[in-house]
Amino acid sequence: FEDDLLAQALVKASKELQIADTIRKDNDYINQGIAKLSEIVSNKDETLEQLSYRLLLVFIQYFEANLGVLYSRVFTKQEEWQMIPTSFYAYGKKKAISNSEILPPLVEQTLNERELIYLEEIPDNYIKVTSGLGEALPSSIVLVPLLYRNNSIGIIELAFFNKLTKLQLSLLQKLSIQAAAILDSKTSETESSIKNNQVKAAIEHAIKIEENLRKELEQALYENEKLKESFRNNLVKDSAN
């Protein structure tokens, strides 16, 4: 009987150790992801596309994704916010970015619902992912909204040849908060730059108008003086006659 109790105690202790070890590994995994993203600091000298690529690369490498797209909210010259793709990555290479202003349906859905979307049943019209074995539909895709101060700053779309765990999905949501704050710093710079350029252009336009008005006034005064001089000359001639 005592041997049974001892055996049960050992089994229980072993299970508790396994649970504790799992929790420790999960925490280490989460902390590593947070640390990697914390290394990303916005540089004033880099473009939005360059920062987007560095951010996307962290998610690609950390979650071992096979394809990724980062959409960013940008401030246009028409003084409107627009969500566009600013970085694209697939099969170990940085890819060219499409200039299309039309968002894919799943991206549009993520933007509207502002919630993480995870799919294991992939639409047939979804882009095929390339690997060393060729091209095929991914096994899972996830779209994560990047929300900062209640604004949609961007969306990260990742595709995988494997399924994601609950821990990975939870970490994606946590990292999205950091990524949104980093991305917002650059998009805010872009907005300020565009507005400053618009103010500068408006000032330059006003100065140009003022210069043109001054030249027109000077010309009008000159013509007026010529008329006066001509009138005086005519008076002198009439007096002489």
Side-chain angles (χ1 to χ4, degrees), residues 171-236:
L171 181 56
L172 270 169
Q173 288 185 308
K174 289 181 180 179
L175 294 185
S176 71
I177 299 172
Q178 280 183 276
I182 295 170
L183 197 59
D184 179 70
S185 65
K186 179 56 68 175
T187 56
S188 297
E189 283 179 19
T190 305
E191 177 187 7
S192 298
S193 176
I194 289 175
K195 287 184 175 180
N196 288 339
N197 288 338
Q198 289 174 338
V199 170
K200 182 179 178 182
I203 292 174
E204 290 175 350
H205 182 63
I207 291 174
K208 190 173 182 179
I209 290 176
E210 184 180 358
E211 288 178 349
N212 290 336
L213 289 173
R214 180 176 55 78
K215 289 179 180 178
E216 290 175 3
L217 179 60
E218 289 176 351
Q219 183 65 28
L221 291 173
Y222 174 72
E223 294 293 338
N224 189 45
E225 287 298 324
K226 286 179 64 178
L227 286 173
K228 287 181 179 180
E229 182 67 24
S230 176
F231 181 71
R232 284 195 293 267
N233 291 336
N234 289 334
L235 284 178
V236 171

